[in-house]
Amino acid sequence: MTQTQHQGASIAFKAVGKAFQKPGGGTVSALENVTLNVAPGDITGIIGRSGAGKSTLLRMVNGLERPTSGRVLVDGRDVGAATGAALRGIRREVGMIFQHFNLLSSRTVAGNIALPLEVAGVPTAQIKPRVADLIARVGLSAQADRYPAELSGGQKQRVGIARALATGPKVLLSDEATSALDPETTQTVLALLKDINRDLGLTIVLITHEMAVVRDIASHVAVIDGGQIVEHGRTYDIFAAPQHPTTRSFLSGVTGVTLPAFIRHRLSDAPPATGGDEVIRVTFAGEHATDPMLALLTTELGIAVNILAGAVEEIGAQPFGNLLISLPAARGAEARAYLERHNLLTEVLGYVS
Amino acid sequence: MSANLINLLIEATGQTLYMVAIATLIGTALGLPLGVFLATSQRGELLSAPWVNKVLGLVVNATRSIPFIILVVAIIPFTRLLAGTSIGTTAAIVPLTIAAVPFIARLVENAIREVDEGLIEAARAMGATPLQIIRKVLIAEALPAITLGLTLAVVSLIGYSAMVGAVGGEGLGDLGIRYGYQRFMPEVMAVVVVILIVLVQLVQSVGERIAARVDKRAPKGRGQ
């Protein structure tokens, strides 16, 4: 490719706050004291429910929103303080893709991808080959002269990605870019983003309400709730040991490991006086994920284990397992100690009699 | 119908077309930028200038409130200043244009406001200047609606042009009144009406055809 200089930029949110004026007077706080650092070349997922403030946070990176307190730095430059030509200069280094694609219906695929180059004042002679490269990169060479109305959702998002890459940005922002796509298309779009991150080294920040998207693509994750970051770190660590209730509720959705209803309804917090079973969540991380720990529990300690639900999947390249088991309450402490000794994480969910 | 009358009809048709064409051209040249400005200058918009927006909006509304026949008479001094005379076909273009500008401005404003906010956001995110956004995004995307709006404006102006007979504007409407009504020649009136119907049909179908050609969105009813 005739490559404009790509390279990731760092992004730093420093004690960022955003308050909106209410129509009747007073203010609503959308973000409070958000501090977050994104290293160059990282793929960071910001996950939160709608209204949590994730969209506001993302839009501060290219100055579509300005913080009311704190600073947002991209490659060391203060976006919130930039105006006019300086701000437009930063924006050309930050590409953005959108949930509803936001393509011009009046322009073809090639025309849409050419737009940011025209806007940046690139000479016409240079636009054509650059656009052809970008179209090839996202696999749409056969559709170059089609209009958006003739494309599928996945193809439209590919156009969006090519357009976002046109000016050779250092950062790519993704605003729920796969939320309007079916699961299969989502996978191909995420794979494309991964390729781009690997090949061009640019920093990607994506917001989503789907933990599956974070699992499939993000190296780091920040969980936002009520305008604050409640948890952030490496994706694998967050999946293995979520601390905040919001994170856990997002995770239970994606790992698919929830208690079957017939047990959930019988669950109590205290162990029964005699007998009964203890219900435990076991999280397998890293190389231990594939060890036959439960079989060992039975053969070495003679504890009968009942599997209620479970899944093993990959986060990044690492395996990650999540099992819900029940075993005799009397031997619960002993079994958990054994599992913890073998580097598994356990959590008592309750008891059934 | 005598050859003389047929000549009069042809001449009147030419006069109507002349008045409407010039009024549409000047009306668009002034109404288009005015409409774009009205659509982009409210608080927080691209060219945010809320006070200017409000004042221009008032002027547009005021002009549009005046019945056309009154406008024609009321601005006679202004017409004389601009056209050198206050009677005749060329003079009639002045009130026609003055009626066309605010009308076209509102049509353009509506068309621009229909453009998806997301496109403006995408263009801002690219680092586009407000003028680039207006030229490359708003007008380009609103073009089908603007075309239909201009078609509506031309049809309305053909109707208005029938009233300029009051200042000796001539044209089809004037011919219909003077011959068909005042000289009791109903057949002239009938022919005038038929020509007007044909003209309007022609303008409407050409306008719709152009609008369909520039419209690359998915046909309605098939989702997007």
Side-chain angles (χ1 to χ4, degrees), chain A residues 59 62-64 88 91-92 94 96 98 102-107 115-116 118-120 147 149 156 163 175, chain B residues 116-119 121-130 132 136-137 140-141 214-219 224:
Chain A
R59 291 153 56 86
N62 61 1
L64 290 177
R88 288 194 292 272
R91 283 175 173 168
R92 275 167 207 157
V94 180
M96 189 169 189
F98 304 87
N102 294 351
L103 302 178
L104 267 63
S105 67
S106 56
R107 286 183 176 231
L115 183 59
E118 292 172 22
V119 159
Y147 286 91
K156 284 183 203 171
R163 180 177 70 176
D175 185 354
Chain B
D116 186 356
E117 282 285 323
L119 296 181
E121 181 169 288
R124 287 175 66 207
M126 278 171 210
T129 62
Q132 283 174 326
K136 289 177 181 289
V137 177
E141 286 290 299
V214 295
D215 192 352
K216 308 297 185 188
R217 294 168 296 183
Q224 55 163 2

Side-chain angles (χ1 to χ4, degrees), chain A residues 170-188:
Chain A
K170 297 174 176 174
V171 174
L172 180 64
L173 306 178
S174 165
D175 185 354
E176 298 271 9
T178 57
S179 298
L181 303 176
D182 62 63
E184 206 174 312
T185 313
T186 294
Q187 285 309 315
T188 62

Side-chain angles (χ1 to χ4, degrees), chain B residues 13-215:
Chain B
T13 306
Q15 287 160 342
T16 292
L17 291 177
Y18 166 67
M19 288 187 288
V20 171
I22 303 291
T24 304
L25 277 178
I26 303 176
T28 307
L30 300 175
L32 183 75
L34 179 58
V36 169
F37 182 79
L38 286 172
T40 54
S41 56
Q42 282 180 10
R43 188 176 304 283
E45 291 180 331
L46 280 176
L47 303 175
S48 182
W51 281 105
V52 187
N53 180 290
K54 216 159 265 176
V55 170
L56 284 178
L58 278 173
V59 172
V60 163
N61 286 345
T63 316
R64 295 200 57 206
S65 320
I66 305 171
F68 184 66
I69 188 71
I70 293 176
L71 183 78
V72 170
V73 184
I75 62 160
I76 282 179
F78 180 67
T79 303
R80 189 175 295 131
L81 191 77
L82 224 60
T85 168
S86 63
I87 48 171
T89 308
T90 304
I93 291 174
V94 177
L96 273 177
T97 306
I98 287 177
V101 171
F103 187 40
I104 291 175
R106 283 294 187 213
L107 290 168
V108 169
E109 180 189 3
N110 288 344
I112 298 268
R113 288 208 178 276
E114 286 299 308
V115 175
D116 186 356
E117 282 285 323
L119 296 181
I120 301 175
E121 181 169 288
R124 287 175 66 207
M126 278 171 210
T129 62
L131 283 181
Q132 283 174 326
I133 295 176
I134 287 170
R135 218 157 43 88
K136 289 177 181 289
V137 177
L138 292 179
I139 294 181
E141 286 290 299
L143 204 52
I146 290 176
T147 310
L148 288 177
L150 287 179
T151 307
L152 179 63
V154 172
V155 169
S156 300
L157 285 176
I158 291 175
Y160 282 175
S161 74
M163 287 184 237
V164 296
V167 289
E170 303 183 282
L172 284 168
D174 181 47
L175 186 75
I177 295 285
R178 282 193 293 122
Y179 284 73
Y181 177 63
Q182 289 164 350
R183 294 190 191 180
F184 306 106
M185 296 170 81
E187 70 279 10
V188 176
M189 185 71 91
V191 175
V192 163
V193 169
V194 169
I195 294 177
L196 284 174
I197 290 174
V198 171
L199 270 184
V200 168
Q201 284 293 346
L202 220 63
V203 168
Q204 188 66 34
S205 54
V206 168
E208 280 173 11
R209 196 161 298 180
I210 297 173
R213 182 160 303 174
V214 295
D215 192 352

